[in-house]
Amino acid sequence: MAAIKVKKVEAEKVKRLLKRLNLYDGKRRPKREGDFVLLPILDSAKVQELEFEVLDVELPMRPDRQIYKNLESVLREKLSENELKHLRRYDVIGDIAVIQIPKELEHRREEIVEGLLTVHPFLKVIAVKGFHEGAFRIRDYGIIWGEERLWTVHKENGVKIKVDLSKAFFNPRMKGERYRLAQLVKDGERVLIPFAGVLPYALVIARYKNVHITAVELNKEAIKLGLENIKLNEKKLKGSIEVIQGDVFEVLPTLGTFDRVISPTPKGVDALALTLRKAKNSLHYYDFVHEENINQFKNYIIEQCNNYGKKCEVRIKKVSDYKPHVYKVCADVEIKN
Ligand SMILES: C[S@@+](CC[C@H](N)C(=O)[O-])C[C@H]1O[C@@H](n2cnc3c(N)ncnc32)[C@H](O)[C@@H]1O
C-alpha cells in the first residue's frame, strides 16, 4: 500500500496539496511515526513526480460508518441490556437491510424493524438471512418488512452494483478488500478473476486501473447482472472487463496466463493449483482457515509453488471473521521468477 512519510509539522499542508490533486487516499488512516506522519496516497507514480519518496506500508482502512452502534443506541430505550447482547451486526445493501434475528430476540422483531427504519429511513426492504446454499453460494432470505424484492443497486468504491440476493452471491463486507486489491493492481496488467459473481471485484478494479480483466462465473443469473453492471458503470471504468460463463475448472485450462489472478474461492472448493498455474506475477487466493492452521496453509501454498517450479513469497492476510477462531483469509502470493 503506498504512502509518503512527511514531517509532522508539514503533514497538514502536504495532505491539503494531495487532496487538491486527487492523490490523497481518504479511505485509509494516516499514521504517526515519531516526528513523522505516514500519509496514504492513491497514485505512486504521480506522487513521485512531486518528488516525495513513496513507501510500501499497510495503513488501516477507516471504519465504516458506525451503523451498528446507531441501531444499538436506538434500541437501548426498548430492549434490556441482556437482549441487546444478542443483537447481531447487519448489512445495508442498496435499500435493503439484511439482519439475523437470533431466537432470543424473535419477540423483538417489530422493535428491531422500527429501529432499522429510524437509523436508515431510506430502506425499502428488511430481510432476515439464512445460510449460503449450493455451489452458487446463494443465501436463503425471508422478507420481514417492505417490498417483496431482493434486488437493488448497491454503491461501493465509486461503482454501482446491481445485485439480486435471491439469484446470486454478494457480500458488501468485502468492500475494503476490493479497494485494497484495486490499489495493488497496476495499469496495463491482464487480470483473471475466477468465481467472479456479479463482478464486484472486476468493477472496482476497472474503476481505478486501466487493465484488462477476464471474469469467469458459472451462475447465469450472476453473469446477467454482471453484464448489466458493466453497462451501469461504463462511463466510469478505466479498464475493460470480458465475461466468460462457465465452470472455472473447465474454462481456465483453455486460457493462457495472466499477470495477476484474484480468486474469491467459494468455501470448500480447492482451486489453488489451478489458479496458481494461471498466475505469472501475483495470485490473491481466498480461503477459510482455522487460526491454528494459518502457517500450515502458507506452507502448503509454498509447496504448491515449488511443485510448479515457481519461487513464491506468501503473505496471509486475515480478511474477516467467519466463525470463532476461523477466518476468511487472503493469501497474497508474489511469484518471483
Ligand atoms: C464466494 S462467491 C464470490 C462471488 C464474487 N466474486 C463476489 O465476491 O461477490 C463464489 C462465486 O463462484 C461461483 N462459482 C461456484 N462454483 C463455480 C465454478 N465451478 N465455476 C465458476 N463459478 C463458480 C458462484 O456462483 C459464486 O458467484
Side-chain angles (χ1 to χ4, degrees), residues 238-302:
K238 286 190 185 166
S240 56
I241 307 171
E242 172 196 356
V243 181
I244 302 176
Q245 195 261 320
D247 186 328
V248 159
F249 291 90
E250 288 168 15
V251 175
L252 265 56
T254 69
L255 303 175
T257 54
F258 293 77
D259 299 307
R260 192 181 294 270
V261 179
I262 296 169
S263 177
T265 333
K267 188 162 187 304
V269 172
D270 183 352
L272 180 63
L274 179 64
T275 50
L276 195 55
R277 273 195 302 244
K278 294 286 132 184
K280 268 199 288 190
N281 302 328
S282 314
L283 167 67
H284 306 278
Y285 186 85
Y286 292 85
D287 209 337
F288 297 81
V289 182
H290 192 283
E291 62 189 0
E292 284 174 4
N293 298 334
I294 285 183
N295 257 336
Q296 200 179 322
F297 178 57
K298 182 175 170 176
N299 291 336
Y300 174 63
I301 296 174
I302 294 172

Side-chain angles (χ1 to χ4, degrees), residues 181-200:
L181 290 188
Q183 300 310 306
L184 292 175
V185 172
K186 296 183 190 76
D187 282 329
E189 285 187 356
R190 290 175 63 255
V191 181
L192 172 68
I193 308 184
F195 311 109
V198 300
L199 303 182

